[in-house]
Amino acid sequence: MSDSSAEERPSKNFLEEIIDKDLAEGRHSSILTRFPPEPNGYLHIGHAKSISVNFGLAAKYNGATNLRFDDTNPVTESTEYVDSIKNDVKWLGYQWKDEFYASDYFENLFEFAIKLIRDGNAYVDDSTSEEIAKLKGTPTSAGSDSPYRSRTPEENEDLFRRMRAGEFPDGSRIVRAKIDMTSPNMLMRDPVIYRIKHVHHHRTDDKWCIYPTYDFAHGQSDAIENITHSICTLEFMSHREVYNWFIEKLDLFPSQQYEFARLNISYTIMSKRKLLQLVTENHVDGWDDPRMPTLSGLRRRGYTPKSIREFCSRIGVAKRDNLIDVSLLEFCAREDLNKISERRMVVFDPVKVVITNWPEGQVEQLSSENNPEDASTGDRSVPFSREIYIERDDFMEDAPKKYFRLSPGKSVRLKSAYIITCEDFKKDENGTVTEIHCTYHPDSRSGSDTSGIKAKGTLHWVSIDHAIPVEIRDYDRLFTSENLADEEGDFLEYINPDSLNVIQKAYAEPALAEDVPGHHYQFMRKGYYYADKTSSKDKLVFNQTVGLRDTWAKINK
């Protein structure tokens, strides 16, 4: 007999299996993970995956997660990035146990380096970067020892302390671990652990002029904090041997590194260097441009934390790199936004409709539901009058048989209002329709229709006398290539020139003027929208979060 309850339980990913084994064997009584961003840019959707993995595992096993900034390279780091990272992690809905910085451990790391030197496991090298690269060999040929590798521990310690004292210029000396210049792992061929940088640090000011490398700071910081499971992406797999070597030689808490596949999304780049280039060269409007894959960009565009967490959950934790279709992220956004977005009518490309049998000057207040998915949001009042706007593409002079919108002699329902029938229309000298004349059916009011008329189409509309102007920003993919990693040439060549379409003046029903910051809207028959940070009462500006359906896939097909 099969165990039906077991069949219903979702299978565990490989990280959960590792943790289960560690807890069962008593290796750890509880788990502690960490999220270790370098404060040299804004977090992107790929970091959201790492955040969800680290914080999610800790939550599942009643453990905790530390937030630790890897601030070992003061040249590229700033407090601005630190603040943005903390804001993004909180926005995603996570709270860390302790907040640390690699710079908290600079004194510890210095003493660790002294121990390695005294034990004969590290040395000061005066070679140039070119000489070091030449001596390192290739993946298929062994490296050669530096001429400075045989310095005595006493000479190395003296030089290292003088490096700290600021006696030497940048690039003149480094400290290297003495491991194995013949190792098949290139990273084990005497990796650099300290370099001289006379640069102001955003936290330690000018106290230090030597800084540890990532490989030296990372594992030791994990060990100092007693991190049980140090979870990285696959590109750090070759670093694990270095990680373990330092912990063993220094006899520290045995933190263990595990790797999972990083997040790659179609039509998107995840390189912070390239994202910075987009910002500094003004290809986008800052780190939070709504076309950027940064969390601040997604937030400005109107993505919800819940939709991003759901996306990360759906893609799971894998051991192999793969390319995730961005449409899955958009699907998760639609699922959440459909439940929480209030409906509003906004006409993007207006054409005037005159309802000829409606009394001039008469205004009727109609009722329309705010969100059919959530009755608690109630209804709103929508003014209806003799002259309204509808979308220009909702009218066709010579309509095909299955065209269910407005055309001569045909009837449509106006959302939450009446059924109207097209009687006539006007054109200008260019043949452009300028005005449509219709009659309404008084007994066809929504909610109390007794007309018996069957109208297959329903259109959104706004009363011209009550319409408020809004700016609409519609977005498309920032890049035209599905997988930029497969492309040749500069990635900037693949920027989509149509990634932003601004509609300077659309017309909205007056309820939109009461916009509350943080509200999400579905502009009926258009998509989901969110007020931009530049929006004000004097000028309402809305960003498209996502369309009602995946039009990109349809176009490609």
Side-chain angles (χ1 to χ4, degrees):
M1 182 182 291
S2 64
D3 184 353
S4 60
S5 62
E7 290 175 1
E8 292 170 3
R9 288 195 298 267
S11 59
K12 293 188 175 183
N13 63 55
F14 76 97
L15 292 172
E16 291 168 335
E17 291 174 351
I18 289 169
I19 292 172
D20 283 342
K21 187 171 184 289
D22 287 347
L23 293 174
E25 294 177 356
R27 188 171 291 115
H28 304 292
S29 57
S30 62
I31 74 160
L32 180 63
T33 63
R34 86 289 170 270
F35 175 58
E38 183 180 356
N40 63 350
Y42 283 64
L43 298 184
H44 54 60
I45 185 70
H47 294 112
K49 167 77 177 293
S50 181
I51 291 168
S52 70
V53 168
N54 279 287
F55 283 87
L57 286 171
K60 179 170 183 175
Y61 290 93
N62 297 314
T65 302
N66 288 343
L67 176 63
R68 182 177 70 244
F69 292 94
D70 175 31
D71 56 346
T72 56
N73 185 10
V75 175
T76 59
E77 298 160 359
S78 74
T79 303
E80 173 195 351
Y81 296 139
V82 169
D83 292 341
S84 73
I85 289 168
K86 291 196 286 188
N87 188 37
D88 285 344
V89 174
K90 289 178 182 177
W91 176 73
L92 275 178
Y94 298 107
Q95 183 56 56
W96 52 90
K97 176 178 180 285
D98 291 306
E99 179 181 321
F100 294 121
Y101 297 78
S103 55
D104 293 335
Y105 310 131
F106 279 176
E107 198 64 53
N108 306 73
L109 294 167
F110 177 80
E111 292 302 326
F112 290 155
I114 290 290
K115 174 174 171 52
L116 290 176
I117 287 171
R118 288 175 177 174
D119 291 346
N121 290 320
Y123 62 98
V124 175
D125 194 339
D126 300 358
S127 303
T128 65
S129 56
E130 292 79 10
E131 290 168 339
I132 290 171
K134 188 175 180 180
L135 290 170
K136 207 158 192 180
T138 69
T140 56
S141 63
S144 303
D145 288 353
S146 163
Y148 303 97
R149 201 175 195 262
S150 57
R151 276 175 166 158
T152 66
E154 293 76 18
E155 184 182 3
N156 284 316
E157 181 174 346
D158 174 65
L159 287 171
F160 186 43
R161 291 189 182 278
R162 289 165 64 191
M163 285 170 61
R164 175 176 179 171
E167 286 190 30
F168 310 118
D170 290 6
S172 60
R173 285 189 164 93
I174 55 171
V175 180
R176 300 174 70 180
K178 189 186 290 187
I179 306 181
D180 181 3
M181 290 302 294
T182 66
S183 172
N185 182 349
M186 295 287 287
L187 294 174
M188 291 289 282
R189 296 183 184 180
D190 291 9
V192 177
I193 64 174
Y194 264 95
R195 68 274 206 223
I196 302 171
K197 287 180 184 280
H198 290 84
V199 180
H200 182 83
H201 190 282
H202 70 97
R203 290 191 75 244
T204 61
D205 297 326
D206 299 312
K207 180 180 178 182
W208 293 88
C209 62
I210 55 170
Y211 292 96
T213 58
Y214 170 84
D215 272 334
F216 188 58
H218 184 214
Q220 282 64 266
S221 297
D222 284 347
I224 290 169
E225 294 172 23
N226 289 349
I227 300 299
T228 59
H229 298 79
S230 178
I231 301 165
C232 305
T233 45
L234 283 177
E235 64 264 34
F236 292 101
M237 181 179 290
S238 57
H239 294 250
R240 192 200 313 163
E241 194 175 359
V242 183
Y243 182 102
N244 292 338
W245 188 89
F246 283 128
I247 284 179
E248 177 191 344
K249 294 301 180 184
L250 294 166
D251 192 23
L252 302 176
F253 176 84
S255 293
Q256 291 290 317
Q257 177 179 303
Y258 304 95
E259 305 86 16
F260 69 98
R262 66 180 295 169
L263 175 59
N264 298 299
I265 302 181
S266 59
Y267 303 100
T268 309
I269 57 170
M270 297 295 186
S271 161
K272 276 198 286 186
R273 179 182 61 79
K274 291 179 179 178
L275 292 175
L276 176 62
Q277 187 177 347
L278 289 173
V279 173
T280 56
E281 295 181 3
N282 298 314
H283 298 288
V284 294
D285 178 29
W287 283 99
D288 66 348
D289 186 300
R291 294 166 293 178
M292 290 278 273
T294 55
L295 296 182
S296 52
L298 291 167
R299 179 165 62 247
R300 181 176 173 186
R301 187 163 172 170
Y303 275 80
T304 62
K306 183 177 179 181
S307 66
I308 293 174
R309 293 196 305 267
E310 175 64 18
F311 169 71
C312 293
S313 174
R314 282 175 179 263
I315 60 179
V317 180
K319 285 185 176 182
R320 263 185 218 169
D321 281 329
N322 58 351
L323 187 68
I324 304 296
D325 195 324
V326 70
S327 62
L328 177 59
L329 175 61
E330 294 166 343
F331 171 81
C332 293
R334 287 188 198 95
E335 271 207 328
D336 189 33
L337 291 171
N338 184 51
K339 299 170 187 172
I340 65 173
S341 298
E342 293 195 357
R343 275 51 170 174
R344 296 291 185 267
M345 291 191 285
V346 182
V347 176
F348 287 25
D349 183 16
V351 63
K352 182 178 179 180
V353 174
V354 179
I355 302 171
T356 56
N357 62 335
W358 185 273
E360 289 196 37
Q362 179 175 313
V363 178
E364 184 176 344
Q365 295 295 332
L366 303 173
S367 181
S368 190
E369 71 274 20
N370 281 318
N371 186 349
E373 302 290 324
D374 184 0
S376 69
T377 59
D379 298 335
R380 69 189 185 284
S381 182
V382 184
F384 185 77
S385 63
R386 179 183 172 88
E387 296 184 349
I388 63 173
Y389 285 134
I390 66 169
E391 295 287 354
R392 183 167 295 278
D393 63 7
D394 279 341
F395 175 80
M396 189 176 287
E397 182 179 351
D398 299 308
K401 188 175 181 181
K402 291 189 177 182
Y403 183 78
F404 298 129
R405 287 176 263 183
L406 197 60
S407 60
K410 283 195 174 182
S411 300
V412 296
R413 173 167 293 285
L414 298 175
K415 170 65 181 173
S416 301
Y418 297 92
I419 293 174
I420 60 172
T421 302
C422 177
E423 309 292 352
D424 197 7
F425 60 93
K426 293 181 180 180
K427 289 182 175 182
D428 62 16
E429 62 274 14
N430 298 317
T432 302
V433 175
T434 57
E435 194 170 287
I436 304 165
H437 290 179
C438 298
T439 55
Y440 89 106
H441 302 274
D443 53 355
S444 67
R445 179 170 169 164
S446 291
S448 57
D449 183 0
T450 59
S451 68
I453 301 171
K454 291 184 178 179
K456 291 187 176 180
T458 300
L459 307 184
H460 65 283
W461 55 274
V462 294
S463 167
I464 291 178
D465 287 342
H466 305 87
I468 58 171
V470 297
E471 180 179 303
I472 302 294
R473 297 175 182 173
D474 279 344
Y475 297 99
D476 204 339
R477 310 280 192 254
L478 182 55
F479 295 98
T480 57
S481 171
E482 181 177 16
N483 189 357
L484 285 158
D486 291 343
E487 303 293 356
E488 295 180 357
D490 193 329
F491 79 102
L492 297 175
E493 296 173 11
Y494 299 94
I495 290 179
N496 180 5
D498 302 315
S499 62
L500 170 62
N501 175 41
V502 179
I503 301 170
Q504 296 287 353
K505 188 178 281 188
Y507 291 96
E509 60 171 282
L512 199 60
E514 302 162 12
D515 172 57
V516 176
H519 264 46
H520 297 269
Y521 297 99
Q522 184 195 102
F523 291 173
M524 298 177 64
R525 302 173 64 224
K526 292 295 185 180
Y528 296 96
Y529 287 81
Y530 190 73
D532 187 65
K533 67 177 185 179
T534 63
S535 186
S536 66
K537 288 188 176 181
D538 296 329
K539 183 181 181 181
L540 294 172
V541 180
F542 287 88
N543 293 322
Q544 180 199 52
T545 306
V546 66
L548 289 178
R549 56 189 60 84
D550 188 359
T551 54
W552 180 271
K554 187 176 179 182
I555 289 168
N556 277 349
K557 186 176 179 182

